[in-house]
Amino acid sequence: MSEHRVPRSATADTEPVVPPILWYTTPAADWETGSLPIGNGAMGACVFGGLGTERLQFNEKTLWTGGPGSADLPDGRYDSGNWHRDRPRALTRVRERIDSDGQADPEWVAGELGSPRTGFGAYQSFGDLLVEGLAVVGVEDYRRWLDLADAIAGVGYTSAGVRHTREYFASHPDQVVVARFAADVPGRVDCVVRLTTPDNRTGRTSARDGRITCSGRLTDNGLRYEAQVQVLADGGTRTDGPDGTVTVRGADTVLLILAAGTDYAPTFPDYRGVDPHPGVGARVDAAVARGDAELRARHLADHGGLFDRVRLHIGQAAPEVPTDELLHRYRAGVAGPAQRRALEALHFQYGRYLLIASSRAGSLPANLQGVWNDSTAPPWAGDYHVNVNLQMNYWPAETTNLTETATPLFDYVEGLVAPGERTARRLYDAPGWVVHNETTPYGYTGVHDWATAFWFPEAGAWLARHHWEHWLFTGDEDFLRERAWPLLRSLARFWLDVLVTDPRDGTLVVNPSYSPEHGPFTAGAAMSQQIVRDLFGNARRAARLVGADDELTAALDTALDRLDPGLRVGSWGQLQEWKHDADDPDDTHRHVSHLYALHPADHLDPDRDPELVAAARKALRARGDGGTGWSRAWKINFWARLRDGDHAHLMLAELLAGSTLDNLWDTHPPFQIDGNLGATAGVAEMLVQSHHRAVHVLPALPACWPHGSVSGLRARGDVTVDLVWADHRPTTVTLHAGRTGPIVVRGVPTAMVTGPDGPVRPAADGALLRIDAVAGGRYLLTPTGPVADQVTVGR
């Protein structure tokens, strides 16, 4: 790769492409704020770009403590976080307290229903690949970069008149990390290569024929691990060291090929598979046989096939300053409009890049830090928080045309069913399955005893929404029948069994119910009711689509008639967080969970539910524009759903200015990837929405993006959308139909439509335009009149 990539093409004929590149003029000072991430789903690495010594801190997503065999188990038995002793009437006692007192203290509830967390474990740093002894005499013209379109990181600098370059990528097709060191003068690459690992494991490191092998077991649970790196030198000499290092002298180039793995397997209840040694070695051998050029070409084709689907131009100009300085200018309010838009567009594409890099088929889903972690004790164990965070990671998967990246999520959630069935029986004496607030690759579906974050049985129902959304976006009937429907059915059976009658009004409610992550335990908190209503509605629709379970469908119809919907307008005009009117207008808590019905669900429609939508807006304004990174990201989506482009953009600006590190990772603090991915989803929601049975173009376009274009966004109904706009109005809308059937468009009430066979006469219905599309057809809409139902600026 050259240090300055040539733009491929433009989003619109008149718009120059600004290459999506992060770049810096100094090495990374530390891992969290400065290193540049690469990844292939299963493996991740962080590039520091150090002078003298390069550090590639790397991860493999299955390297976890905890689970079966963990030293943290009091009786040596791992049981997915379930109660270690019988608790007769524990759940009944909590319900009775809530019914009698109206609420219950979280500490008391945790004492009744919680359990000390044992065998939970934590995501682990695999180790460091160190390249030492690099040339650093009189360094000039240093540059470090990450090209998002190519998924290649690099370093370039001049030392003693010799130009040195480095290139790094993580290949999904070949499941290896590749690093290449070169110089523009032959024989000038010298280095010592070594692998190091943390000390919470046994390990042996050796070098033979330029192959460094490091293997052992985690001390906690005996999980076997192995990493191998092949050192290839073009020219010069290569020497294996007795300490497991490889030394290269006088080479023209040095190529490093790294693979890693463990004996983890996603199989309940043992979660163990085969010895990683043969597989790791085979991956390195195959990559070596392919060679540098073929590895690179396969990587570029694979990544580009995903990343290049979406292009965004909002009037940005290529920044002439490094990315960290661009961010600092943005934060200080001194960046010009084109620079601000450059950072916003870059951040959007960075979220897509991070999802591709941390979630590919065959690997675990992206965790709180994606795939990247430099610690043996990461924040929140680097786990899967399922009261918003894991779900937020996958909000951009469908809308930004990366549906394949959701495969690990689907696999993982379905893997929770078996342990979750055991938890449902143990804690609730109920059919179906359940998972609570936090979980791990070892099927941790039970509870712990942190009072404000241990209880969230609605998590499974929220996770299953992603299966349903995949059906809505793709129309994949096999997926609906074989994967989405069975999951929804099992969860519906659980909730049909555990809902109780509220003595206050006879409705069905969740009890105990806890609104994350504050307030008392109550019955029928808004988020609980909205999620269960969402699940029942989706399960009922799925059952009818596949022609299954008439008895279950009837039970769902009955339950929906009695179910408290969790939608009430309170005394100061707010959408209530709890069933009783207890909202404090001065409460600025980071969670705004009671707006689940607005986003990610589709229960609030500005055109059909104006009173509830106004109440949601009132509640959101009261919570304020502060919060952690992921909270601000969710608020982008909320305001976009409210069709307030300026406020959605304000939340994006607040996230960039207050919750973004120099390497553009989101910070909670500390680093959490959900803010990156949630913000990317929010930008997509600003440009195209489709959750109310129509493709709504530019529903929340901010005033500061008056002209622009986007291509490749996805809408429900298997539609791909390209847009060009000027003066805040669409000038062309191109719809690519994935299946035959009507496409309803909002935001372009009158238009000339050209289909694959010529002019098409659309049917107009007020603000809606209906086109009868044919699968594979391309439909070009050119607005012909005023756009009455368009962006609302500054609401």
Coordinates of all heavy atoms in Angstrom, one line a residue, residues 363-445:
S363 N -16.8 -16.5 14.5 CA -16.2 -15.9 15.7 C -17.3 -15.6 16.7 O -18.5 -15.5 16.3 CB -15.3 -14.7 15.5 OG -16.1 -13.6 15.0
L364 N -16.9 -15.3 17.9 CA -17.9 -14.7 18.9 C -18.3 -13.3 18.5 O -17.6 -12.7 17.7 CB -17.2 -14.7 20.3 CG -17.0 -16.0 20.9 CD1 -16.1 -15.9 22.1 CD2 -18.3 -16.7 21.4
P365 N -19.4 -12.8 19.0 CA -19.8 -11.4 18.6 C -18.9 -10.4 19.3 O -18.1 -10.7 20.2 CB -21.2 -11.3 19.2 CG -21.3 -12.4 20.3 CD -20.4 -13.5 19.8
A366 N -19.0 -9.2 18.8 CA -18.2 -8.1 19.4 C -18.6 -7.9 20.8 O -19.8 -7.8 21.2 CB -18.5 -6.8 18.6
N367 N -17.6 -7.8 21.7 CA -17.9 -7.6 23.1 C -17.9 -6.1 23.5 O -17.9 -5.3 22.6 CB -17.0 -8.5 24.0 CG -15.6 -8.2 23.8 OD1 -15.1 -7.1 23.7 ND2 -14.8 -9.3 23.8
L368 N -17.7 -5.8 24.8 CA -17.7 -4.4 25.1 C -16.6 -3.6 24.5 O -16.7 -2.4 24.3 CB -17.6 -4.3 26.7 CG -18.9 -4.5 27.5 CD1 -18.6 -4.5 29.0 CD2 -19.9 -3.4 27.1
Q369 N -15.5 -4.3 24.1 CA -14.4 -3.6 23.5 C -14.2 -4.2 22.1 O -13.1 -4.1 21.5 CB -13.1 -3.7 24.3 CG -13.3 -3.0 25.6 CD -12.0 -3.0 26.5 OE1 -12.0 -2.3 27.5 NE2 -11.0 -3.8 26.1
G370 N -15.2 -4.8 21.5 CA -15.1 -5.4 20.2 C -14.3 -6.7 20.2 O -14.9 -7.7 20.6
V371 N -13.1 -6.6 19.8 CA -12.2 -7.8 19.9 C -10.9 -7.3 20.6 O -10.0 -8.2 20.8 CB -11.9 -8.4 18.5 CG1 -11.2 -7.4 17.6 CG2 -11.2 -9.7 18.6
W372 N -10.7 -6.1 20.9 CA -9.5 -5.5 21.4 C -9.4 -5.4 22.9 O -10.4 -4.9 23.5 CB -9.2 -4.2 20.7 CG -9.2 -4.3 19.2 CD1 -8.2 -4.7 18.4 CD2 -10.3 -4.0 18.3 NE1 -8.6 -4.8 17.1 CE2 -9.9 -4.3 17.0 CE3 -11.6 -3.6 18.5 CZ2 -10.7 -4.2 15.9 CZ3 -12.4 -3.4 17.4 CH2 -12.0 -3.7 16.1
N373 N -8.3 -5.7 23.5 CA -8.2 -5.7 25.0 C -6.8 -5.9 25.4 O -6.2 -6.9 24.9 CB -9.1 -6.7 25.7 CG -8.8 -6.9 27.1 OD1 -8.5 -6.0 27.8 ND2 -8.7 -8.2 27.5
D374 N -6.2 -5.0 26.2 CA -4.8 -5.1 26.5 C -4.6 -5.6 28.0 O -3.5 -5.5 28.5 CB -4.0 -3.8 26.3 CG -4.4 -2.8 27.3 OD1 -5.5 -2.8 27.9 OD2 -3.6 -1.9 27.6
S375 N -5.6 -6.1 28.6 CA -5.6 -6.4 30.0 C -6.0 -7.8 30.4 O -6.8 -8.4 29.6 CB -6.5 -5.4 30.8 OG -6.6 -5.7 32.1
T376 N -5.6 -8.3 31.5 CA -6.1 -9.5 32.1 C -7.3 -9.3 33.0 O -8.0 -10.2 33.4 CB -5.1 -10.3 32.8 OG1 -4.6 -9.5 33.9 CG2 -3.9 -10.7 31.9
A377 N -7.6 -8.0 33.3 CA -8.7 -7.6 34.1 C -9.4 -6.4 33.5 O -9.3 -5.3 34.0 CB -8.3 -7.3 35.5
P378 N -10.0 -6.5 32.3 CA -10.5 -5.4 31.6 C -11.8 -4.8 32.3 O -12.4 -5.5 33.1 CB -10.9 -5.9 30.2 CG -11.1 -7.4 30.5 CD -10.2 -7.8 31.6
P379 N -12.1 -3.6 32.0 CA -13.4 -3.0 32.6 C -14.6 -3.9 32.3 O -14.8 -4.4 31.2 CB -13.5 -1.6 31.9 CG -12.1 -1.3 31.4 CD -11.5 -2.6 31.1
W380 N -15.4 -4.1 33.4 CA -16.6 -4.9 33.3 C -16.3 -6.3 32.6 O -17.1 -6.9 32.0 CB -17.7 -4.2 32.5 CG -18.1 -2.9 33.1 CD1 -18.9 -2.8 34.2 CD2 -17.7 -1.6 32.8 NE1 -19.0 -1.5 34.6 CE2 -18.2 -0.7 33.7 CE3 -16.8 -1.1 31.8 CZ2 -18.1 0.7 33.6 CZ3 -16.6 0.3 31.7 CH2 -17.3 1.1 32.6
A381 N -15.0 -6.8 32.9 CA -14.6 -8.1 32.4 C -14.5 -8.2 30.8 O -14.3 -9.2 30.3 CB -15.5 -9.2 32.9
G382 N -14.8 -7.0 30.1 CA -14.8 -7.1 28.7 C -16.0 -8.0 28.2 O -15.9 -8.6 27.2
D383 N -17.1 -8.1 29.0 CA -18.1 -9.1 28.8 C -19.2 -8.6 27.8 O -19.0 -7.7 27.0 CB -18.7 -9.5 30.1 CG -19.6 -8.4 30.7 OD1 -19.8 -7.3 30.1 OD2 -20.0 -8.5 31.9
Y384 N -20.3 -9.4 27.8 CA -21.5 -9.0 27.0 C -22.5 -8.5 28.0 O -23.2 -9.2 28.7 CB -22.0 -10.2 26.3 CG -21.0 -10.8 25.3 CD1 -20.3 -11.9 25.5 CD2 -20.7 -10.1 24.1 CE1 -19.3 -12.4 24.6 CE2 -19.8 -10.6 23.2 CZ -19.1 -11.7 23.4 OH -18.2 -12.2 22.5
H385 N -22.6 -7.1 28.0 CA -23.7 -6.5 28.8 C -25.0 -6.5 27.8 O -24.9 -6.0 26.7 CB -23.4 -5.1 29.1 CG -22.7 -4.9 30.4 ND1 -21.6 -5.7 30.8 CD2 -22.9 -4.1 31.5 CE1 -21.2 -5.3 32.0 NE2 -22.0 -4.3 32.5
V386 N -26.1 -7.1 28.3 CA -27.2 -7.2 27.4 C -28.4 -6.4 27.9 O -29.6 -6.8 27.6 CB -27.6 -8.7 27.3 CG1 -26.6 -9.4 26.4 CG2 -27.6 -9.4 28.7
N387 N -28.2 -5.3 28.6 CA -29.2 -4.4 28.9 C -29.2 -3.2 28.0 O -29.9 -2.2 28.1 CB -29.2 -4.0 30.4 CG -28.0 -3.1 30.8 OD1 -27.1 -3.1 30.0 ND2 -28.1 -2.5 31.9
V388 N -28.3 -3.2 27.0 CA -28.3 -2.3 25.9 C -27.0 -2.5 25.0 O -27.0 -2.3 23.8 CB -28.4 -0.8 26.3 CG1 -27.2 -0.3 27.1 CG2 -28.5 0.1 25.0
N389 N -25.9 -2.8 25.7 CA -24.6 -2.6 25.0 C -24.3 -3.6 23.9 O -23.9 -3.2 22.8 CB -23.5 -2.7 26.1 CG -23.7 -1.8 27.3 OD1 -24.3 -2.3 28.3 ND2 -23.3 -0.6 27.2
L390 N -24.6 -4.9 24.1 CA -24.4 -5.8 23.0 C -25.3 -5.5 21.9 O -25.0 -5.6 20.7 CB -24.6 -7.3 23.5 CG -24.5 -8.4 22.5 CD1 -23.1 -8.3 21.7 CD2 -24.7 -9.7 23.1
Q391 N -26.6 -5.2 22.2 CA -27.6 -4.9 21.2 C -27.1 -3.7 20.4 O -27.2 -3.7 19.2 CB -28.9 -4.6 21.8 CG -29.6 -5.9 22.5 CD -29.2 -6.0 24.0 OE1 -28.1 -5.6 24.4 NE2 -30.1 -6.6 24.7
M392 N -26.6 -2.7 21.1 CA -26.2 -1.5 20.4 C -25.0 -1.8 19.4 O -25.0 -1.1 18.3 CB -25.7 -0.4 21.4 CG -25.3 0.9 20.8 SD -24.8 2.2 22.0 CE -26.4 2.6 22.7
N393 N -24.2 -2.7 19.7 CA -23.1 -3.1 18.8 C -23.6 -3.4 17.5 O -22.9 -3.3 16.4 CB -22.3 -4.2 19.4 CG -21.3 -3.8 20.5 OD1 -21.2 -2.7 20.8 ND2 -20.7 -4.8 21.1
Y394 N -24.8 -4.0 17.4 CA -25.3 -4.5 16.1 C -26.4 -3.7 15.5 O -27.0 -4.1 14.5 CB -25.8 -6.0 16.3 CG -24.6 -6.9 16.5 CD1 -24.0 -7.1 17.7 CD2 -23.9 -7.4 15.4 CE1 -22.9 -7.9 17.9 CE2 -22.8 -8.1 15.5 CZ -22.3 -8.4 16.8 OH -21.1 -9.1 16.9
W395 N -26.7 -2.5 16.1 CA -27.7 -1.6 15.4 C -27.3 -1.3 14.0 O -28.1 -1.2 13.1 CB -27.9 -0.4 16.2 CG -28.6 -0.6 17.5 CD1 -29.3 -1.7 17.8 CD2 -28.8 0.3 18.6 NE1 -29.9 -1.5 19.1 CE2 -29.6 -0.3 19.6 CE3 -28.3 1.6 18.8 CZ2 -30.0 0.3 20.7 CZ3 -28.7 2.3 20.0 CH2 -29.5 1.6 21.0
P396 N -26.0 -1.0 13.7 CA -25.7 -0.7 12.3 C -25.5 -1.8 11.3 O -25.3 -1.6 10.1 CB -24.3 0.1 12.4 CG -23.7 -0.5 13.6 CD -24.8 -0.9 14.5
A397 N -25.7 -3.1 11.8 CA -25.4 -4.2 10.9 C -26.4 -4.3 9.7 O -25.9 -4.4 8.6 CB -25.5 -5.5 11.8
E398 N -27.6 -4.1 10.0 CA -28.6 -4.1 8.9 C -28.6 -2.8 8.1 O -28.6 -2.8 6.9 CB -30.0 -4.5 9.4 CG -30.0 -5.8 10.1 CD -29.8 -7.1 9.3 OE1 -29.7 -6.9 8.0 OE2 -29.6 -8.1 9.9
T399 N -28.8 -1.7 8.8 CA -29.0 -0.4 8.2 C -27.8 0.0 7.3 O -28.0 0.7 6.3 CB -29.3 0.7 9.2 OG1 -28.3 0.8 10.1 CG2 -30.6 0.4 9.9
T400 N -26.6 -0.3 7.7 CA -25.4 0.2 7.0 C -24.8 -0.9 6.1 O -23.6 -0.9 5.8 CB -24.3 0.8 7.9 OG1 -23.7 -0.3 8.6 CG2 -24.9 1.8 8.8
N401 N -25.7 -1.9 5.8 CA -25.3 -2.9 4.7 C -24.2 -3.8 5.1 O -23.3 -4.2 4.3 CB -25.0 -2.2 3.4 CG -25.4 -2.9 2.2 OD1 -25.5 -4.2 2.2 ND2 -25.7 -2.2 1.1
L402 N -24.2 -4.3 6.4 CA -23.2 -5.2 6.9 C -23.9 -6.4 7.5 O -23.5 -6.9 8.6 CB -22.3 -4.5 7.9 CG -21.5 -3.3 7.4 CD1 -20.7 -2.7 8.5 CD2 -20.5 -3.8 6.3
T403 N -25.0 -6.9 6.9 CA -25.8 -7.9 7.5 C -25.0 -9.2 7.9 O -25.3 -9.8 8.9 CB -27.0 -8.3 6.6 OG1 -27.8 -9.2 7.3 CG2 -26.5 -9.0 5.3
E404 N -23.9 -9.5 7.2 CA -23.1 -10.7 7.5 C -22.4 -10.6 8.8 O -22.2 -11.6 9.5 CB -22.0 -10.9 6.4 CG -22.6 -11.2 5.0 CD -22.8 -9.9 4.2 OE1 -22.9 -8.8 4.8 OE2 -22.8 -10.0 2.9
T405 N -22.2 -9.3 9.3 CA -21.5 -9.2 10.6 C -22.4 -9.6 11.7 O -21.9 -9.7 12.9 CB -21.0 -7.7 10.8 OG1 -22.2 -6.9 10.9 CG2 -20.1 -7.3 9.7
A406 N -23.7 -9.7 11.5 CA -24.6 -10.1 12.6 C -24.6 -11.6 12.8 O -25.2 -12.1 13.8 CB -26.0 -9.6 12.3
T407 N -24.0 -12.4 11.9 CA -24.0 -13.8 12.1 C -23.5 -14.3 13.5 O -24.1 -15.2 14.1 CB -23.2 -14.5 11.0 OG1 -23.9 -14.2 9.7 CG2 -23.2 -16.0 11.1
P408 N -22.3 -13.7 13.9 CA -21.9 -14.1 15.3 C -22.9 -13.9 16.4 O -23.0 -14.6 17.3 CB -20.6 -13.3 15.5 CG -20.1 -13.0 14.1 CD -21.4 -12.8 13.3
L409 N -23.6 -12.8 16.3 CA -24.6 -12.5 17.3 C -25.7 -13.5 17.3 O -26.1 -14.0 18.3 CB -25.2 -11.1 17.0 CG -26.4 -10.7 18.0 CD1 -25.8 -10.5 19.4 CD2 -27.1 -9.5 17.5
F410 N -26.2 -13.9 16.1 CA -27.3 -14.9 16.0 C -26.8 -16.2 16.6 O -27.5 -16.9 17.3 CB -27.7 -15.1 14.5 CG -28.2 -13.8 13.9 CD1 -28.0 -13.6 12.5 CD2 -28.9 -12.9 14.6 CE1 -28.5 -12.4 11.9 CE2 -29.4 -11.7 14.0 CZ -29.2 -11.5 12.7
D411 N -25.6 -16.6 16.2 CA -25.0 -17.9 16.7 C -24.9 -17.8 18.2 O -25.2 -18.8 18.9 CB -23.6 -18.1 16.1 CG -23.7 -18.4 14.6 OD1 -24.8 -18.7 14.1 OD2 -22.6 -18.3 13.9
Y412 N -24.4 -16.7 18.7 CA -24.2 -16.6 20.2 C -25.5 -16.6 21.0 O -25.6 -17.3 22.0 CB -23.4 -15.3 20.5 CG -23.2 -15.1 22.0 CD1 -22.3 -15.9 22.7 CD2 -23.8 -14.1 22.6 CE1 -22.0 -15.7 24.0 CE2 -23.6 -13.9 24.0 CZ -22.7 -14.7 24.7 OH -22.5 -14.5 26.0
V413 N -26.5 -15.9 20.5 CA -27.8 -15.8 21.2 C -28.4 -17.2 21.2 O -28.9 -17.7 22.2 CB -28.7 -14.8 20.6 CG1 -30.1 -14.8 21.2 CG2 -28.1 -13.4 20.8
E414 N -28.4 -17.9 20.1 CA -28.9 -19.2 20.0 C -28.2 -20.2 21.0 O -28.7 -21.1 21.5 CB -28.9 -19.7 18.6 CG -29.9 -19.0 17.7 CD -29.7 -19.2 16.2 OE1 -29.1 -20.2 15.8 OE2 -30.1 -18.2 15.5
G415 N -26.9 -19.9 21.2 CA -26.1 -20.7 22.1 C -26.4 -20.5 23.5 O -26.1 -21.3 24.4
L416 N -27.2 -19.4 23.8 CA -27.6 -19.1 25.2 C -28.9 -19.9 25.6 O -29.2 -19.9 26.7 CB -27.9 -17.6 25.4 CG -26.7 -16.7 25.3 CD1 -27.1 -15.2 25.4 CD2 -25.7 -16.9 26.4
V417 N -29.5 -20.5 24.6 CA -30.8 -21.1 24.9 C -30.6 -22.3 25.8 O -31.4 -22.4 26.8 CB -31.5 -21.6 23.5 CG1 -32.7 -22.4 23.8 CG2 -31.8 -20.4 22.7
A418 N -29.7 -23.2 25.6 CA -29.5 -24.4 26.5 C -29.2 -24.0 27.9 O -30.0 -24.4 28.8 CB -28.5 -25.3 25.9
P419 N -28.2 -23.2 28.2 CA -28.0 -22.7 29.6 C -29.2 -21.9 30.1 O -29.5 -22.0 31.3 CB -26.7 -22.0 29.6 CG -26.5 -21.5 28.2 CD -27.1 -22.6 27.3
G420 N -29.8 -21.1 29.2 CA -30.9 -20.2 29.6 C -32.1 -21.0 30.0 O -32.9 -20.6 30.8
E421 N -32.3 -22.2 29.4 CA -33.5 -23.1 29.8 C -33.2 -23.6 31.2 O -34.2 -23.6 32.0 CB -33.6 -24.2 28.8 CG -34.1 -23.8 27.4 CD -34.1 -25.0 26.4 OE1 -33.3 -25.9 26.6 OE2 -34.9 -24.9 25.5
R422 N -32.0 -23.9 31.5 CA -31.7 -24.3 32.9 C -32.0 -23.2 33.9 O -32.5 -23.4 35.0 CB -30.3 -24.8 33.0 CG -29.8 -25.3 34.3 CD -28.4 -25.7 34.3 NE -28.1 -26.9 33.6 CZ -26.9 -27.5 33.4 NH1 -25.8 -26.9 34.0 NH2 -26.8 -28.6 32.7
T423 N -31.6 -22.0 33.5 CA -31.8 -20.9 34.4 C -33.3 -20.6 34.6 O -33.7 -20.2 35.7 CB -31.1 -19.6 33.9 OG1 -29.6 -19.9 33.8 CG2 -31.3 -18.4 34.8
A424 N -34.0 -20.7 33.5 CA -35.5 -20.5 33.6 C -36.1 -21.4 34.5 O -37.0 -21.1 35.3 CB -36.1 -20.6 32.2
R425 N -35.7 -22.7 34.5 CA -36.3 -23.7 35.4 C -35.8 -23.4 36.8 O -36.6 -23.5 37.8 CB -35.9 -25.1 35.0 CG -36.5 -25.5 33.7 CD -36.3 -27.0 33.4 NE -34.9 -27.4 33.4 CZ -34.2 -27.4 32.3 NH1 -34.7 -27.1 31.1 NH2 -32.9 -27.8 32.3
R426 N -34.5 -23.1 37.0 CA -33.9 -23.0 38.3 C -34.5 -21.7 39.1 O -34.8 -21.8 40.3 CB -32.4 -22.9 38.2 CG -31.7 -22.8 39.5 CD -31.5 -24.1 40.1 NE -30.6 -24.1 41.3 CZ -30.9 -24.6 42.5 NH1 -32.0 -25.2 42.7 NH2 -29.9 -24.6 43.4
L427 N -34.5 -20.6 38.4 CA -34.9 -19.4 39.1 C -36.4 -19.1 39.0 O -36.9 -18.4 39.9 CB -34.1 -18.2 38.5 CG -32.7 -17.9 39.1 CD1 -31.7 -19.1 38.8 CD2 -32.1 -16.6 38.5
Y428 N -37.1 -19.5 38.0 CA -38.4 -19.2 37.7 C -39.4 -20.3 37.7 O -40.6 -20.1 37.7 CB -38.6 -18.4 36.4 CG -37.8 -17.1 36.3 CD1 -36.5 -17.2 35.9 CD2 -38.3 -15.9 36.6 CE1 -35.7 -16.0 35.8 CE2 -37.6 -14.7 36.5 CZ -36.3 -14.8 36.1 OH -35.6 -13.6 36.0
D429 N -38.9 -21.6 37.6 CA -39.7 -22.7 37.4 C -40.6 -22.5 36.2 O -41.8 -22.8 36.2 CB -40.6 -23.0 38.7 CG -41.2 -24.4 38.6 OD1 -40.7 -25.3 37.9 OD2 -42.3 -24.6 39.2
A430 N -40.0 -22.1 35.1 CA -40.7 -21.7 33.9 C -40.1 -22.4 32.7 O -38.9 -22.8 32.7 CB -40.6 -20.2 33.7
P431 N -40.9 -22.6 31.6 CA -40.4 -23.1 30.4 C -39.7 -22.0 29.6 O -39.6 -20.8 30.1 CB -41.7 -23.5 29.6 CG -42.7 -22.5 30.1 CD -42.4 -22.3 31.6
G432 N -39.1 -22.3 28.5 CA -38.4 -21.4 27.7 C -37.0 -21.1 28.2 O -36.5 -21.9 29.0
W433 N -36.5 -19.9 27.9 CA -35.2 -19.6 28.4 C -35.0 -18.1 28.7 O -35.9 -17.3 28.4 CB -34.1 -20.0 27.3 CG -34.1 -19.1 26.1 CD1 -34.9 -19.1 25.0 CD2 -33.2 -18.0 25.8 NE1 -34.6 -18.2 24.1 CE2 -33.6 -17.4 24.5 CE3 -32.1 -17.4 26.5 CZ2 -32.9 -16.4 24.0 CZ3 -31.5 -16.3 25.9 CH2 -31.8 -15.8 24.7
V434 N -34.0 -17.8 29.5 CA -33.8 -16.5 30.0 C -32.3 -16.2 30.1 O -31.5 -17.1 30.3 CB -34.5 -16.3 31.3 CG1 -33.8 -17.1 32.4 CG2 -34.5 -14.8 31.7
V435 N -31.9 -14.9 30.0 CA -30.5 -14.5 30.3 C -30.7 -13.2 31.0 O -31.6 -12.4 30.7 CB -29.6 -14.4 29.0 CG1 -30.2 -13.4 28.0 CG2 -28.2 -14.0 29.4
H436 N -29.8 -12.9 31.9 CA -29.9 -11.6 32.7 C -29.0 -10.5 32.2 O -28.7 -10.4 31.0 CB -29.7 -12.0 34.2 CG -30.9 -12.7 34.7 ND1 -31.1 -14.1 34.6 CD2 -32.1 -12.3 35.4 CE1 -32.2 -14.4 35.2 NE2 -32.8 -13.4 35.6
N437 N -28.4 -9.7 33.1 CA -27.8 -8.5 32.7 C -26.5 -8.6 32.0 O -26.1 -7.8 31.2 CB -27.7 -7.6 33.9 CG -27.4 -6.1 33.6 OD1 -28.3 -5.5 33.1 ND2 -26.2 -5.7 33.8
E438 N -25.7 -9.6 32.4 CA -24.3 -9.7 31.9 C -24.1 -11.2 31.6 O -24.5 -12.1 32.3 CB -23.3 -9.2 32.9 CG -23.4 -7.7 33.1 CD -22.9 -7.3 34.5 OE1 -21.9 -8.0 35.0 OE2 -23.4 -6.3 35.1
T439 N -23.4 -11.5 30.5 CA -23.1 -12.9 30.1 C -21.7 -13.0 29.5 O -21.0 -12.0 29.3 CB -24.2 -13.4 29.2 OG1 -24.0 -14.8 29.0 CG2 -24.3 -12.6 27.9
T440 N -21.3 -14.2 29.2 CA -20.0 -14.5 28.8 C -20.0 -15.6 27.7 O -21.1 -16.1 27.4 CB -19.1 -15.0 29.9 OG1 -19.6 -16.4 30.3 CG2 -19.2 -14.2 31.2
P441 N -18.9 -15.9 27.1 CA -18.9 -17.1 26.1 C -19.2 -18.4 26.8 O -19.4 -19.4 26.1 CB -17.5 -17.0 25.6 CG -17.0 -15.7 25.8 CD -17.6 -15.2 27.1
Y442 N -19.3 -18.5 28.1 CA -19.6 -19.7 28.8 C -21.0 -19.8 29.2 O -21.4 -20.5 30.1 CB -18.7 -19.8 30.0 CG -17.2 -19.9 29.7 CD1 -16.4 -18.9 30.3 CD2 -16.7 -20.9 28.9 CE1 -15.0 -18.9 30.0 CE2 -15.3 -20.9 28.6 CZ -14.5 -19.9 29.2 OH -13.1 -19.9 28.9
G443 N -21.9 -19.1 28.5 CA -23.4 -19.3 28.8 C -23.8 -18.9 30.2 O -24.6 -19.5 30.8
Y444 N -23.2 -17.8 30.6 CA -23.6 -17.3 32.0 C -25.0 -16.6 31.9 O -25.1 -15.4 31.6 CB -22.5 -16.3 32.5 CG -22.6 -16.0 33.9 CD1 -21.7 -16.6 34.8 CD2 -23.5 -15.1 34.5 CE1 -21.7 -16.4 36.2 CE2 -23.5 -14.8 35.8 CZ -22.7 -15.4 36.7 OH -22.7 -15.2 38.0
T445 N -26.0 -17.3 32.1 CA -27.4 -16.8 32.0 C -28.0 -16.5 33.3 O -29.2 -16.0 33.3 CB -28.2 -17.8 31.3 OG1 -28.1 -19.1 31.9 CG2 -27.8 -18.0 29.8

